[in-house]
């Protein structure tokens, strides 16, 4: 962090002056040891700014001669550490939710599927007995839940096989090489735009290394758009190149940089708060919070309940088909 240079008084020879006329030695002010509150720092720096202003109660600045920028820098440091801890907590919970979701699907998924199938069979058996239109409608709805949607293969254009796996996933599971996707033949307009951009932005036309890096990054995006045959994106890239490189923004002062950092930290904390709330309110997150210390036992308990439901439905179906 840069510091502003203190003012330097003009040089003079004080040796010729009487002792009682010489200026007193300056007293070094003690450093302030207090730190801004974490929550205030995370909220965007408003409290940090107020902490750096003079105290109206005694008329003097807090912390002796400490510069406002130094106190603001401390607020930024505290807010950064608080955000890191919060982010670690959110990421940890997200991993736990994802792991629990996979275990839940692996262990209990077949039971849920069995319950859906039994519900469909029970509804169909009841409709066959009564012939009531409402029972027939319910039977169809129950069966639709079990049966896959028609036209799924056509919708996904061979993205998935009969087991619901993409070709890439199947290849990974069987340790087979992944087949490359079908190539898209770009249109004539896409080819024209690509040639124009390649001629204008080719890295070999760069005069220095920074310019070469800029052109490399740009041509990478051009190649990706051309590979997909995306004419609209190629047009956008052409307009971007015609506009030229973005002009650098004027440098910020030390205070402006610190306030901008606090604002970013505050926005990041708000996004993480939303994510944490979504995780906690999700079905899996709610289940996980019921038994955070022993989620495996929770799965066992839910499995036992589902087995009981399966037994009851099987008994109900047996009575209907007698």
């Amino acid at each position: 962090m840069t510091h502003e240079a203190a003012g330097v008084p003009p040089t003079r020879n004080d040796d010729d002056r009487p002792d009682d006329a010489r200026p007193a030695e300056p007293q070094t002010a003690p450093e302030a040891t207090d730190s801004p509150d974490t929550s205030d720092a995370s909220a965007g720096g408003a409290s940090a700014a107020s902490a750096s202003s003079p105290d109206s109660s005694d008329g003097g600045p807090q912390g002796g001669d400490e510069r406002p920028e130094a106190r603001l820098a401390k607020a930024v440091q505290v807010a950064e550490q608080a955000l890191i801890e919060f982010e670690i907590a959110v990421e940890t919970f997200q991993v736990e939710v994802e792991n629990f979701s996979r275990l839940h699907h692996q262990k209990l998924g077949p039971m849920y599927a069995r319950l859906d199938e039994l519900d469909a069979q029970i509804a169909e058996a009841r409709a066959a007995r009564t012939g009531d239109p409402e029972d027939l409608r319910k039977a169809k709805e129950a069966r639709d839940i079990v049966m896959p949607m028609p036209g799924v293969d056509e919708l996904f254009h061979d993205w998935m096989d009969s087991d619901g796996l993409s070709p890439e996933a199947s290849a990974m599971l069987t340790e087979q090489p992944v087949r490359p996707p079908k190539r898209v033949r770009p249109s004539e307009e896409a080819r024209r735009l690509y040639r124009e951009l390649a001629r204008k932005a080719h890295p070999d036309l760069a005069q220095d290394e920074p310019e070469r890096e800029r052109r490399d990054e740009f041509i990478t995006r051009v190649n990706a758009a051309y590979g997909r045959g995306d004419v609209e994106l190629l047009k956008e890239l052409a307009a971007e190149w015609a506009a030229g490189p973005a002009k650098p923004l004027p440098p910020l002062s030390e205070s402006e940089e610190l306030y901008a950092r606090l604002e970013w930290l505050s926005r990041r904390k708000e996004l993480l708060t939303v994510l944490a709330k979504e995780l906690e309110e999700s079905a899996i997150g709610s289940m996980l919070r019921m038994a955070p210390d022993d989620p495996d036992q929770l799965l066992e308990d839910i499995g036992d309940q589902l087995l009981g439901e399966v037994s009851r439905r099987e008994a109900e179906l047996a009575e209907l088909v007698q």
Side-chain angles (χ1 to χ4, degrees):
M1 193 71 66
T2 59
H3 296 278
E4 298 173 3
V8 180
T11 305
R12 60 183 299 166
N13 188 358
D14 290 329
D15 292 338
D16 299 330
R17 298 176 60 184
D19 292 341
D20 57 354
R22 294 181 182 178
E25 291 294 324
Q27 298 297 321
T28 303
E31 277 194 357
T33 58
D34 56 328
S35 297
D37 184 70
T38 302
S39 60
D40 294 339
S42 301
S47 61
S50 61
S52 63
S53 61
D55 187 358
S56 57
S57 61
D58 57 10
Q62 296 181 357
D65 295 336
E66 188 176 30
R67 297 184 312 115
E69 290 81 1
R71 293 183 61 81
L72 192 57
K74 288 182 179 179
V76 170
Q77 185 177 13
V78 171
E80 287 174 341
Q81 292 300 318
L83 181 66
I84 289 172
E85 295 299 325
F86 186 37
E87 192 153 358
I88 290 172
V90 174
E91 290 176 352
T92 301
F93 187 59
Q94 186 172 19
V95 170
E96 291 173 353
V97 168
E98 291 173 353
N99 289 340
F100 189 74
S101 177
R102 282 193 290 269
L103 288 173
H104 180 270
H105 179 72
Q106 291 172 0
K107 292 187 175 182
L108 307 183
M111 297 185 189
Y112 286 120
R114 177 59 179 163
L115 285 172
D116 288 340
E117 176 62 29
L118 286 170
D119 286 339
Q121 292 180 12
I122 290 171
E124 290 168 345
R126 185 177 291 113
R129 270 193 173 191
T130 64
D132 184 86
E134 182 64 17
D135 288 340
L136 292 170
R137 183 187 65 79
K138 291 180 179 179
K140 182 179 183 306
E141 289 180 353
R143 178 54 60 187
D144 288 341
I145 293 175
V146 179
M147 296 297 293
M149 292 177 59
V152 169
D153 291 339
E154 293 79 3
L155 178 64
F156 284 96
H157 300 289
D158 298 329
W159 287 3
M160 291 187 176
D161 58 16
S162 58
D163 295 326
L165 297 173
S166 67
E168 292 78 7
S170 298
M172 293 173 66
L173 290 173
T174 57
E175 299 183 357
Q176 298 297 320
V178 178
R179 290 177 297 175
K182 298 177 181 178
R183 294 189 176 276
V184 178
R185 180 172 177 79
S187 64
E188 287 299 324
E189 185 175 10
R191 299 170 80 178
R192 177 184 62 80
L193 289 167
Y194 173 74
R195 286 194 294 267
E196 290 178 359
L197 285 169
R199 292 191 188 103
K200 294 176 181 177
H202 199 283
D204 288 346
L205 299 175
Q207 300 296 321
D208 51 38
E209 190 58 30
E211 176 65 11
R212 172 177 286 277
E213 292 178 359
R214 183 176 80 91
R215 288 172 176 265
D216 280 336
E217 185 273 336
F218 182 80
I219 285 296
T220 298
R221 290 190 285 146
V222 170
N223 290 337
Y226 179 63
R228 296 192 301 270
D230 194 334
V231 174
E232 294 303 319
L233 181 55
L234 287 170
K235 290 180 179 179
E236 293 177 8
L237 290 169
E240 177 184 330
W241 186 260
K247 296 181 180 179
L249 297 174
L252 299 176
S253 67
E254 182 181 355
S255 296
E256 289 173 335
E257 288 182 354
L258 290 169
Y259 275 115
R261 179 62 175 168
L262 278 178
E263 290 176 2
W264 182 88
L265 290 169
S266 178
R267 291 194 300 270
R268 178 64 178 164
K269 181 175 180 291
E270 291 175 359
L271 292 174
L272 288 172
T273 301
V274 172
L275 175 58
K277 185 177 180 181
E278 291 177 351
L279 289 170
E280 290 176 352
E281 294 180 351
S282 66
I284 296 297
S286 300
M287 293 172 60
L288 186 58
R289 287 191 294 118
M290 292 171 57
D293 298 328
D294 194 1
D296 292 334
Q297 183 59 47
L298 177 61
L299 286 179
E300 295 294 334
D301 295 341
I302 297 174
D304 292 340
Q305 296 175 11
L306 292 178
L307 285 174
E309 290 293 329
V310 168
S311 298
R312 283 190 288 272
R313 282 172 170 78
E314 288 176 340
E316 182 180 356
L317 178 61
E319 292 179 2
L320 288 171
V321 297
Q322 282 179 353

